[in-house]
Amino acid sequence: MIKCYVERFERPNGMPDLRLREKLTRRTVRVLADQPMLQPLSPMSNLLQDCYAHAGGLIEPRSRKEHVTIVAPIFTQNEQEIMVWLDNEFSVTVNILSARITSPPVSVWCYIEEYPGDNESLGLRLRQKVTGRKVEMYGKNRAHLTEFLASPRFTGAYKHMPNLYEIDGYHDYVLVSGGTAVDSYDVLLFEDDAELTYLLGPTPDTAYRDAFRVLEEESAAAAHSRTAMTHFEGGRYREAVLSARLAVEMACGGGGADVKRCLDGAPQDVSTAGASLFARRNIAVHEGGTRVEQPDALEAIRAMMRLLDYLELKGGQP
């Protein structure tokens, strides 16, 4: 068990970077991986960025209240550094007093979808776990992403990662993190910049997910309601309405018929909220974004919150 803090430094080429050091001794802590896809992608990069942004004891050598704890087999160590091995025993915990990260990168857990391609080839793409939304990004380039998605089949690792190809469950996954260019009800498009990482899980990024992001146990309804609020705050009113409706659908079981069933016999204010949200959803779908203004999105958000409160009291878990 190694308690660490995050230190900012400059690489020989002058580029700023972050690294882990052991508390008190200040030895550099390096994570070694035998998976080629993990090595060039810095699997702990987002973890280090968030810890550095949090500051406090996460960047102070002597603070005992906040620290990053790594549990892993030690490969080798000396007076200057400790090298640990990334394997099934590896785990990271971020110990913080409060999270003050205002705009962390988006992180989503994905599965690999295989589909028929051209000339009887097999196409590969990413979709978000549970929601099934398309997740689009290119990373270094298209070829690298294709090689990455094909690697479990090519290496035979898929035999030990069956959940990697299934929409439900978080035992196996591809974790994609970074800034987003589009975050809508059916597609999530990541920006191709230094923040973007895509990793086969479980990975060390589990730590920053638990400390700074929404936990993996978050329901689909909660994820869509959170996305609706994000869209509203960002002025994307059409997307806010669509996400609000999706949140209610997920809380009810998946579709319009499920919503109607769950709201059957509901109080008048709940029924009114349902009708209002449904009407604004139809405008957003059929008439595009030009007809959806801030008041419409605000009414959809309020209707969503009223419906989710009712469904939770009724016995659901939105």
Side-chain angles (χ1 to χ4, degrees), residues 137-149 192 198:
M137 46 92 184
Y138 301 123
K140 293 183 177 180
N141 52 58
R142 284 180 180 269
H144 186 274
L145 178 59
T146 302
E147 181 183 356
F148 172 79
L149 296 179
D192 298 328
Y198 44 99

Side-chain angles (χ1 to χ4, degrees), residues 20 24 30 44 49 94 112 129 191 219-220 230 267 271 301:
L20 285 171
L24 300 180
R30 294 177 56 197
M44 297 184 69
Q49 292 168 20
V94 180
I112 299 175
K129 289 275 190 177
E191 296 176 349
S219 68
T230 301
S271 298
I301 293 290

Side-chain angles (χ1 to χ4, degrees), residues 281-312:
R281 177 262 183 195
N282 282 349
I283 293 174
V285 169
H286 300 296
E287 300 188 31
T290 57
R291 290 289 306 276
V292 181
E293 303 293 341
Q294 185 184 53
D296 302 300
L298 181 59
E299 184 170 345
I301 293 290
R302 288 172 175 170
M304 174 195 72
M305 295 174 66
R306 180 65 188 95
L307 292 167
L308 292 180
D309 287 344
Y310 169 75
L311 293 168
E312 187 172 17

Side-chain angles (χ1 to χ4, degrees), residues 69-233:
T69 302
I70 292 180
V71 177
I74 294 179
F75 181 73
T76 185
Q77 61 178 317
N78 53 43
E79 294 181 354
Q80 284 75 42
E81 69 177 6
I82 306 174
M83 289 184 282
V84 298
W85 197 250
L86 174 59
D87 62 6
N88 292 333
E89 300 178 26
F90 186 97
S91 67
V92 183
T93 304
V94 180
N95 299 273
I96 58 177
L97 299 180
S98 62
R100 299 189 298 273
I101 306 302
T102 56
S103 300
V106 172
S107 294
V108 293
W109 288 259
C110 307
Y111 67 98
I112 299 175
E113 183 182 52
E114 300 175 327
Y115 63 96
D118 298 331
N119 301 321
E120 298 184 353
S121 62
L122 189 66
L124 300 171
R125 59 190 170 205
L126 286 174
R127 288 188 180 273
Q128 187 177 10
K129 289 275 190 177
V130 181
T131 69
R133 283 196 301 172
K134 290 182 181 179
V135 177
E136 299 180 353
M137 46 92 184
Y138 301 123
K140 293 183 177 180
N141 52 58
R142 284 180 180 269
H144 186 274
L145 178 59
T146 302
E147 181 183 356
F148 172 79
L149 296 179
S151 63
R153 294 285 184 189
F154 181 76
T155 62
Y158 73 96
K159 298 177 182 178
H160 307 286
M161 306 176 72
N163 190 226
L164 186 62
Y165 303 89
E166 300 170 344
I167 187 171
D168 295 316
Y170 293 93
H171 183 71
D172 305 311
Y173 53 82
V174 175
L175 177 63
V176 183
S177 302
T180 57
V182 177
D183 185 351
S184 70
Y185 71 103
D186 62 347
V187 65
L188 186 61
L189 174 62
F190 281 89
E191 296 176 349
D192 298 328
D193 55 22
E195 283 190 330
L196 178 65
T197 61
Y198 44 99
L199 311 160
L200 284 173
T203 74
D205 278 30
T206 300
Y208 79 77
R209 176 195 68 202
D210 291 344
F212 297 109
R213 311 286 200 279
V214 179
L215 295 177
E216 68 177 45
E217 290 80 9
E218 181 185 36
S219 68
H224 283 302
S225 64
R226 177 170 51 82
T227 301
M229 295 299 299
T230 301
H231 285 317
F232 181 78
E233 293 168 358

